[in-house]
Amino acid sequence: MLVVESLAAIARGRGQSVYRCPPVVPAGFEPVPLAFHGIDALPVVGIASRLWRTIFDPIGLVREAAAHAGDRPWTIRIPGQFDLTYLPGQDGYDTLMGLSARDAGMGKVFSRVPVIGMWYPRHGRIDDHDSLQELVLMGRRIMAQMLSPDRVAGLPALIDTVMRDRMRQWGTSVDLAEVLYQAVYEISIRFFAGEEFWSRFGEELIPVLRSIADGIDIPRAALAVTPARFAMREYRASRRLVGILRRAHREIGDADSPLFVAIHAAGVHRDNCSWMTMYVLWNATAYPGSYSLFTLVDAVTDARTSEALATTDQRTTLLSRWCMWETIRLNPISSLVRSLSEPLEYSHDGHRYCLLGTAPDLIDSRVVVVSGRE
């Protein structure tokens, strides 16, 4: 779909001259420089190269642009789609953090994320970006409320219980990449959705959520908007997830699940309750499942922590509590992706930039802004 949309826009545009043409910005400002390197900078073939790399090598494309730009902002133009502008560093991150949801929306970004923005039914039109944005914001508020200090205080005991039970089943030799995430999923589901929910639906949810998490990949996300999605395991998993969560809402009363209590207290439309359950569980399992394995690998490959693990009788506490928190503290990587609906003025190193100027005919009149920090 990305390629089809892009080629259609290219056909309507003016070719290479528009592909390389920066947006027109107000007097006194300059546009963020467009990043063109290697084959992407060549006439005609550069458009095809940029499309191919956007789908199959997005990380390499960003890294190449970042290496040339240094600490200055840069823009990656996706032909026929939008300008992807990066504001690196703490200043850029703070700038995006300070924007209102109205001026820098998430709806158009999340609308292209499989399961969250596609496939999973919700109230109203599936292509309504504004309603999706409101649901995402509501979901984050629900998660923040459920992570209150009094509830989090009980998490170490839950982690210890689950890890001890799981480790007794592992035996002397296991593939941690296959078993550790299952423990993390159980902890997350029990913490957010409750014991009754876990006992009835937990084991059924683990492989489904895992299949969806495995699909978080740029090429697969691009494939997800084509008819090939019907053959994708994450698509089939999302359909099973719909059925499981709808059944859970029918069979479990609100009082038996803290997540259901929080969803209804937030005023979520009844047709969106299943979507909201999915969204909370998606965030609660997909990310911790990966981070936990990375943390464990870091812990056992460092001599200081591996020796401590070998000699302590508090391995589960050391691994699940202190090692994970320390890994996150030392590597606090976070990013923001927003779609601008209003021009954004940004100053950096003596330059005054204006994002979302008058776009050339070849691209959509939108700018997606990305920032991150390490």
Side-chain angles (χ1 to χ4, degrees):
M1 183 65 70
L2 174 65
V3 174
V4 173
E5 291 177 355
S6 299
L7 292 177
I10 291 169
R12 295 193 301 269
R14 298 190 299 274
Q16 179 75 7
S17 62
V18 178
Y19 172 57
R20 296 293 301 273
C21 179
V24 177
V25 297
F29 293 90
E30 57 184 290
V32 175
L34 297 173
F36 294 108
H37 308 102
I39 298 177
D40 289 4
L42 298 178
V44 184
V45 70
I47 297 177
S49 171
R50 174 58 57 86
L51 284 174
W52 189 93
R53 296 189 66 191
T54 298
I55 298 174
F56 296 106
D57 187 28
I59 303 301
L61 178 60
V62 172
R63 284 178 173 170
E64 180 181 83
H68 285 83
D71 66 345
R72 294 182 61 183
W74 75 89
T75 294
I76 293 176
R77 174 156 292 166
I78 303 177
Q81 296 296 314
F82 42 76
D83 283 351
L84 189 61
T85 296
Y86 283 76
L87 304 181
Q90 188 68 46
D91 288 346
Y93 188 86
D94 291 342
T95 297
L96 257 65
M97 281 290 289
L99 295 176
S100 70
R102 182 187 68 255
D103 296 332
M106 296 179 289
K108 290 182 179 179
V109 177
F110 280 111
S111 67
R112 297 202 171 205
V113 179
V115 188
I116 290 180
M118 302 181 294
W119 305 345
Y120 205 104
R122 60 180 188 271
H123 179 67
R125 300 198 329 270
I126 199 69
D127 61 346
D128 185 349
H129 305 312
D130 292 336
S131 66
L132 177 59
Q133 174 157 311
E134 287 302 315
L135 281 174
V136 168
L137 293 174
M138 189 179 296
R140 293 186 174 186
R141 288 194 295 269
I142 289 173
M143 286 185 281
Q145 292 166 0
M146 298 192 72
L147 289 168
S148 61
D150 59 321
R151 294 199 77 241
V152 172
L155 191 53
L158 175 60
I159 293 173
D160 190 70
T161 298
V162 172
M163 291 304 299
R164 289 186 185 278
D165 290 343
R166 291 274 176 175
M167 289 169 68
R168 278 195 291 266
Q169 302 171 27
W170 289 353
T172 57
S173 178
V174 294
D175 182 350
L176 287 174
E178 292 300 322
V179 299
L180 186 60
Y181 81 86
Q182 297 182 33
V184 175
Y185 282 24
E186 178 180 348
I187 293 165
S188 298
I189 293 172
R190 288 173 65 173
F191 176 83
F192 281 97
E195 296 296 333
E196 177 70 14
F197 183 100
W198 165 256
S199 65
R200 298 180 63 174
F201 302 101
E203 294 293 351
E204 190 177 359
L205 279 172
I206 284 181
V208 173
L209 291 170
R210 177 65 173 188
S211 294
I212 293 170
D214 285 343
I216 304 174
D217 177 83
I218 296 295
R220 296 190 70 83
L223 190 64
V225 298
T226 72
R229 66 181 178 275
F230 298 112
M232 298 172 70
R233 60 181 180 275
E234 54 266 42
Y235 176 83
R236 297 193 300 272
S238 72
R239 308 319 299 164
R240 292 197 298 274
L241 181 60
V242 172
I244 295 171
L245 296 185
R246 283 180 171 173
R247 182 157 37 96
H249 276 276
R250 288 195 306 268
E251 298 178 8
I252 297 180
D254 287 356
D256 294 320
S257 172
L259 179 53
F260 292 176
V261 171
I263 288 174
H264 288 103
V268 177
H269 191 283
R270 66 177 183 276
D271 292 343
N272 288 328
C273 288
S274 180
W275 184 97
M276 188 61 72
T277 304
M278 172 277 299
Y279 182 68
V280 172
L281 294 180
W282 186 88
N283 282 280
T285 56
Y287 299 114
S290 299
Y291 280 123
S292 296
L293 181 60
F294 299 155
T295 298
L296 181 60
V297 170
D298 287 343
V300 299
T301 54
D302 187 292
R304 295 166 297 178
T305 50
S306 61
E307 290 173 5
L309 287 169
T311 57
T312 185
D313 59 355
Q314 299 293 325
R315 290 190 183 90
T316 54
T317 300
L318 182 62
L319 274 173
S320 61
R321 191 172 184 182
W322 302 118
C323 288
M324 175 170 284
W325 287 124
E326 184 66 1
T327 298
I328 295 173
R329 185 189 71 81
L330 292 173
N331 305 277
I333 300 174
S334 58
S335 63
L336 292 172
V337 183
R338 299 289 185 268
S339 177
L340 295 183
S341 57
E342 297 292 335
L344 171 62
E345 298 177 3
Y346 179 69
S347 297
H348 177 78
D349 198 22
H351 296 268
R352 298 179 66 210
Y353 300 105
C354 179
L355 285 68
L356 197 63
T358 304
D361 294 343
L362 186 60
I363 64 170
D364 192 334
S365 58
R366 288 185 289 118
V367 174
V368 173
V369 189
V370 181
S371 184
R373 64 180 182 184
E374 297 187 9

